[in-house]
């Protein structure tokens, strides 16, 4: 995730770019920059941190011109810094590029370009693009861009300028969003409609594999192979605030719907082309160290802790090593037994959670290798950890974590499979089988999201209650805990997650007529046992909704009141699907209660106090 904006016309370009970037800050905000064609040539200004820092820089040295591109960054390759900020340029400083996405083969391309004499200044994948375009330029920027992208693999939306053709702005879309805004004597590009909505409501939406060439008075659309295309212009009738949320009523709902993309992005480049191996080139952990791991400790807070509970089962099942999962605020004070052969995994969306950071330091002080799973490159946890697996969920704005949690699950699957291959604890066939099932997850989530209305009705019913229970066994219990936390934090309904077999040891006393119970029943090895536990609560008057696979719905409906079917996957992968209806349930229950869904009371997105 990053935000791109571009302008060609008679207005003050700098202002158009800055105002556009303000609307895109939700896509990333660790640094920003603009390039404007001024009377001195192509000039670039960039600044680490919030957009305000760039604005301050520009107050002293404004860039005056009539064509420009801008970018707000959410770091993926290289920490947030002035030099890693976009726009990027080449050795001649004649070309300038803004990019949203990931170039998977950037390291190979970079080596090739270095061998040809190009000099790189940043750690980004994007800088490769500006050098490639410069290399391919023979007097036609459109052809140069087409040739450059023919060498690139991955996802990208691009805005490109060259000093040689100052009256042109070139835009490309390949698996990252990009729209073109059409004005009178002016045209725009943007990652999202809000960036340009102040100036025009007429837009073209580019499809993957398409590009646009903008001048002040015209826009040409073509495929990246150069075949011209015509497209119907869309008239936008949303207001700006709705548009920022991509048409969704809340960021949380938008983020729930972004999960298929977050799964794909987190897997992208980490499964080799054969589909048989996980590759984690970012890991410093050597095969030797991996073989010497004696135990794993996973440490995190809140939702990230719940991802760690799934991570425990994943690593134990795939790698056959003992794993404990602990909440960070407890771990650091319980004198954990950590040795240099312990792999400690800290999980944190923000990478700034004080307790998790302290746990990381505690583990390092005992000589453990600490691997962080985090969503924010350059965060304190990412910087201090010995190894990092970045989840590519994009910025999460809603306080209730959804896409960050599920991306953490994907990271655990990738890590588990990688460790299993190195330690030889799964056969190549077993690994390939799990990878294939993982690759189907994004589409399966899309299918469930299209059935969200079924959850809405149940959510409205439960919104009238003050107490509720989630039950499940094994991985279902781990998901139940996340479902319960989600519901509490945004609907303010009291709920508890129980290991289904544990209820009868006390908590069953709380089950009375009409109390809602959500039963997760996906783990087939314990399905009959879970059904027995469902019968225990039904016998005491509970209203039970089950989450299960399609094939078990008919059978379960003999014991429960309602059932929501999730697509079939392997037992180990089920959490990545089963949690989605629970996220929707919390969202709609909160909505029905009239709560502020995105900003629940008493909570904050990043918890930097202990
Ligand atoms: C709940 C939620 C929190 C966070 C927790 C840890 O929806 O978001 O429970 O998971 O505060 O935050 P990070 O992952 O940033 O360390």
């Amino acid at each position: 995730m990053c935000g791109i904006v571009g302008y060609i016309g008679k207005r003050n370009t700098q202002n158009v770019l800055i105002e556009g970037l303000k609307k895109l800050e939700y896509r990333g905000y660790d640094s920003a920059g603009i390039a404007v064609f001024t009377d001195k040539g192509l000039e670039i200004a960039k600044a680490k941190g919030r957009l305000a820092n760039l604005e301050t820089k520009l107050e002293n040295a404004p860039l005056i011109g009539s064509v420009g591109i801008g970018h707000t960054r959410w770091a993926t390759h290289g920490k947030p810094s002035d030099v890693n900020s976009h726009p990027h340029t080449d050795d001649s400083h004649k070309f300038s590029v803004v990019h949203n996405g990931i170039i998977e083969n950037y390291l190979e391309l970079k080596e090739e370009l270095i061998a040809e004499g190009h000099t790189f200044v940043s750690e980004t994948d994007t800088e490769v693009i500006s050098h490639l375009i410069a290399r391919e330029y023979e007097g036609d920027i459109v052809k140069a861009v087409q040739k450059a992208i023919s060498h690139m693999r991955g996802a990208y939306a691009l805005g490109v300028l060259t000093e040689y053709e100052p009256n042109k702005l070139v835009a490309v879309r390949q698996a990252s969003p990009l729209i073109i805004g059409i004005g009178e004597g002016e045209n725009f590009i943007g990652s999202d409609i809000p960036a340009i909505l102040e100036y025009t409501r007429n837009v073209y939406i580019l499809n993957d594999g398409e590009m646009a060439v903008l001048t002040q008075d015209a826009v040409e659309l073509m495929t990246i192979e150069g075949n011209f295309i015509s497209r119907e212009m869309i008239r936008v009738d949303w207001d700006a605030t709705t548009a920022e949320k991509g048409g969704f009523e809340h960021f949380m709902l938008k983020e729930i719907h972004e999960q298929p993309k977050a799964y794909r992005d987190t897997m992208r480049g980490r499964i080799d082309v054969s589909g048989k191996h996980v590759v984690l080139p970012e890991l410093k952990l050597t095969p030797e160290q991996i073989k010497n791991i004696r135990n794993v400790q996973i440490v995190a807070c809140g939702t990230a802790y719940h991802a760690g509970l799934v991570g425990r089962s994943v690593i134990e099942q795939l790698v056959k090593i003992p794993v404990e999962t602990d909440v960070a605020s407890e771990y650091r004070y319980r004198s954990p037994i950590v040795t240099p052969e312990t792999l400690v995994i800290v999980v944190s969306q923000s990478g700034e959670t004080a307790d998790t950071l302290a746990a990381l330091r505690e583990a390092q002080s005992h000589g453990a290798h600490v691997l962080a799973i985090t969503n924010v490159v350059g965060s304190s946890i990412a910087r201090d950890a010995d190894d990092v697996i970045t989840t590519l969920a994009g910025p999460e704005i809603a306080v209730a974590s959804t896409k960050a949690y599920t991306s953490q699950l994907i990271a655990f699957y990738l890590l588990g499979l990688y460790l299993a291959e190195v330690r030889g604890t799964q056969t190549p066939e077993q690994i390939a089988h799990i990878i294939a099932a993982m690759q189907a997850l994004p589409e399966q989530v899309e299918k469930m999201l299209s059935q969200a209305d079924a959850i809405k009705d149940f959510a409205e019913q439960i919104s009238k209650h003050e107490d509720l229970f989630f039950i499940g066994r094994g991985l279902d219990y781990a998901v139940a805990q996340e479902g319960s936390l989600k519901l509490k934090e945004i609907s303010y309904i009291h709920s508890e997650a129980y290991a289904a077999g544990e209820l009868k040891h006390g908590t069953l006393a709380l089950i009375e007529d009409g109390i809602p119970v959500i039963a997760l029943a996906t783990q087939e090895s314990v399905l009959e046992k879970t059904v027995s536990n469902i019968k225990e609560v039904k016998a005491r008057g509970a209203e039970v909704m089950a989450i299960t696979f399609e094939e078990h719905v008919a059978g379960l409906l003999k014991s429960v009141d309602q059932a929501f079917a999730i697509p079939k996957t392997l037992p180990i992968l089920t959490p990545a699907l089963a949690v989605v209806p629970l996220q929707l349930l919390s969202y709609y229950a909160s909505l029905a209660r009239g709560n502020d869904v995105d900003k629940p009371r008493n909570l904050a997105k990043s918890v930097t106090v202990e």
Side-chain angles (χ1 to χ4, degrees):
M1 287 273 286
C2 290
I4 289 180
V5 64
Y7 177 71
I8 184 159
K10 295 198 178 57
R11 293 178 200 257
N12 176 331
T13 299
Q14 174 182 306
N15 287 355
V16 176
L17 298 178
I18 294 294
E19 289 312 307
L21 292 179
K22 280 185 188 161
K23 302 287 183 334
L24 295 178
E25 257 197 311
Y26 77 89
R27 301 179 63 84
Y29 38 76
D30 58 45
S31 52
I34 62 170
V36 176
F37 186 70
T38 72
D39 53 11
K40 294 198 200 97
L42 205 47
E43 287 195 88
I44 296 178
K46 356 197 222 187
K48 180 182 164 187
R50 294 291 175 118
L51 194 54
N53 298 355
L54 177 65
E55 284 187 274
T56 311
K57 234 181 196 176
L58 290 168
E59 266 168 31
N60 306 324
L63 301 185
I64 315 290
S66 55
V67 54
I69 47 180
H71 189 268
T72 178
R73 182 165 184 250
W74 184 76
T76 56
H77 293 67
K79 61 185 177 306
S81 68
D82 285 2
V83 74
N84 285 335
S85 311
H86 303 208
H88 285 284
T89 187
D90 65 306
D91 292 308
S92 71
H93 292 266
K94 301 285 187 202
F95 297 85
S96 189
V97 174
V98 285
H99 165 219
N100 166 28
I102 295 165
I103 307 304
E104 287 170 14
N105 58 336
Y106 86 102
L107 278 177
E108 305 159 27
L109 292 171
K110 192 168 176 175
E111 277 167 24
E112 183 182 310
L113 288 157
I114 290 172
E116 290 169 12
H118 292 252
T119 309
F120 285 80
V121 295
S122 78
E123 302 159 271
T124 65
D125 50 346
T126 306
E127 198 184 352
V128 165
I129 309 173
S130 43
H131 285 265
L132 272 180
I133 295 173
R135 183 183 78 181
E136 303 296 349
Y137 189 74
E138 289 173 346
D140 182 340
I141 185 62
V142 178
K143 287 210 170 79
V145 171
Q146 286 166 343
K147 274 197 192 161
I149 60 183
S150 71
H151 300 289
M152 291 162 22
R153 261 199 338 264
Y156 44 87
L158 306 176
V160 182
L161 289 183
T162 175
E163 204 173 297
Y164 297 122
E165 296 174 64
N167 302 322
K168 265 184 204 160
L169 166 54
V170 180
V172 185
R173 171 182 169 144
Q174 179 61 51
S176 288
L178 200 65
I179 56 108
I180 312 293
I182 313 297
E184 301 247 324
E186 59 182 356
N187 291 304
F188 307 79
I189 67 169
S191 294
D192 201 353
I193 292 170
I196 55 145
L197 205 52
E198 197 178 328
Y199 313 102
T200 181
R201 289 181 169 271
N202 295 330
V203 300
Y204 291 128
I205 312 276
L206 284 189
N207 293 329
D208 288 345
E210 292 179 352
M211 59 189 293
V213 183
L214 289 74
T215 58
Q216 281 196 9
D217 300 309
V219 172
E220 280 178 346
L221 302 182
M222 60 187 82
T223 63
I224 50 177
E225 292 81 26
N227 302 318
F228 287 99
I229 44 179
S230 64
R231 168 82 23 91
E232 206 175 316
M233 200 158 65
I234 292 175
R235 175 93 191 144
V236 179
D237 54 9
W238 319 327
D239 64 50
T241 323
T242 317
E244 215 165 300
K245 292 178 187 147
F248 289 99
E249 201 175 338
H250 294 96
F251 279 111
M252 182 179 175
L253 191 59
K254 174 171 179 273
E255 288 159 6
I256 290 173
H257 281 261
E258 281 170 349
Q259 290 179 114
K261 178 168 168 18
Y263 286 27
R264 288 188 182 105
D265 286 350
T266 303
M267 284 189 259
R268 193 187 307 283
R270 288 170 169 157
I271 293 173
D272 79 349
V273 278
S274 73
K276 294 195 171 124
H277 308 276
V278 167
V279 283
L280 294 173
E282 63 266 60
L283 283 197
K284 296 190 200 101
L285 206 58
T286 62
E288 186 72 36
Q289 281 173 300
I290 291 174
K291 286 181 189 144
N292 287 337
I293 297 170
R294 296 181 67 134
N295 65 323
V296 176
Q297 293 175 346
I298 302 173
V299 192
C301 303
T303 285
Y305 164 74
H306 294 149
L309 293 176
V310 176
R312 178 176 71 192
S313 296
V314 169
I315 296 175
E316 281 186 347
Q317 285 183 39
L318 295 179
V319 199
K320 322 280 183 209
I321 315 180
V323 186
E324 326 161 54
T325 300
D326 208 347
V327 286
S329 54
E330 289 296 316
Y331 176 85
R332 53 181 302 215
Y333 295 113
R334 75 168 164 87
S335 308
I337 297 168
V338 187
T339 72
E341 284 80 41
T342 306
L343 173 66
V344 174
I345 304 174
V346 293
V347 191
S348 173
Q349 183 282 129
S350 63
E352 299 296 344
T353 301
D355 285 318
T356 312
L357 188 58
L360 174 158
R361 294 191 174 131
E362 171 72 22
Q364 279 176 334
S365 74
H366 294 278
H369 188 93
V370 179
L371 185 155
I373 295 178
T374 178
N375 199 35
V376 182
V377 175
S379 58
S380 306
I381 287 176
R383 283 200 310 269
D384 286 9
D386 303 298
D387 255 319
V388 183
I389 296 181
T390 308
T391 50
L392 292 159
E396 200 176 54
I397 311 292
V399 165
S401 183
T402 52
K403 62 176 183 170
Y405 166 81
T406 44
S407 305
Q408 287 158 0
L409 302 188
I410 299 293
F412 272 117
Y413 295 135
L414 292 168
L415 179 65
L417 288 165
Y418 181 76
L419 298 180
E421 181 162 356
V422 175
R423 289 176 68 114
T425 48
Q426 300 292 315
T427 64
E429 293 72 31
Q430 285 167 324
I431 291 177
H433 183 56
I434 299 173
I435 290 177
M438 274 177 78
Q439 287 173 318
L441 291 173
E443 229 171 276
Q444 293 179 314
V445 174
E446 273 155 12
K447 185 173 170 211
M448 278 189 293
L449 291 173
S450 69
Q451 297 159 355
D453 280 354
I455 294 286
K456 203 169 173 180
D457 295 342
F458 188 65
E460 278 162 16
Q461 292 166 33
I462 67 162
S463 70
K464 300 185 183 85
H465 290 261
E466 289 307 327
D467 297 289
L468 187 145
F469 288 87
F470 287 83
I471 57 170
R473 285 170 175 260
L475 279 168
D476 280 340
Y477 175 42
V479 177
Q481 291 179 76
E482 173 56 10
S484 173
L485 176 66
K486 214 85 308 172
L487 187 75
K488 276 184 273 224
E489 68 175 320
I490 59 169
S491 75
Y492 317 147
I493 297 171
H494 164 249
S495 84
E496 288 188 44
Y498 254 79
E502 182 66 12
L503 268 184
K504 56 186 173 291
H505 297 289
T507 309
L508 200 57
L510 293 174
I511 303 295
E512 54 187 14
D513 254 0
I515 196 155
V517 173
I518 294 165
L520 284 119
T522 71
Q523 297 299 304
E524 285 160 336
S525 61
V526 285
L527 191 61
E528 282 178 11
K529 309 259 176 233
T530 306
V531 171
S532 304
N533 302 134
I534 290 173
K535 290 197 164 132
E536 287 162 13
V537 294
K538 262 319 282 174
R540 283 148 185 98
E543 280 281 311
V544 182
M545 185 205 205
I547 311 275
T548 189
F549 295 126
E550 183 67 55
E551 66 206 75
H552 301 305
V553 167
L556 271 167
L557 278 174
K558 293 184 193 137
S559 316
V560 304
D561 301 281
Q562 303 182 43
F564 183 86
I566 63 166
K568 186 76 186 190
T569 187
L570 301 175
I572 199 169
L573 301 181
T574 312
L577 297 180
V579 75
V580 176
L582 303 187
Q583 296 168 338
L584 289 166
L585 186 77
S586 309
Y587 172 77
Y588 286 119
S590 172
L591 201 64
R593 290 187 143 215
N595 295 350
D596 186 344
V597 177
D598 285 337
K599 293 197 189 76
R601 69 186 182 201
N602 308 340
L603 301 176
K605 188 69 189 159
S606 181
V607 186
T608 51
V609 289
E610 291 182 28

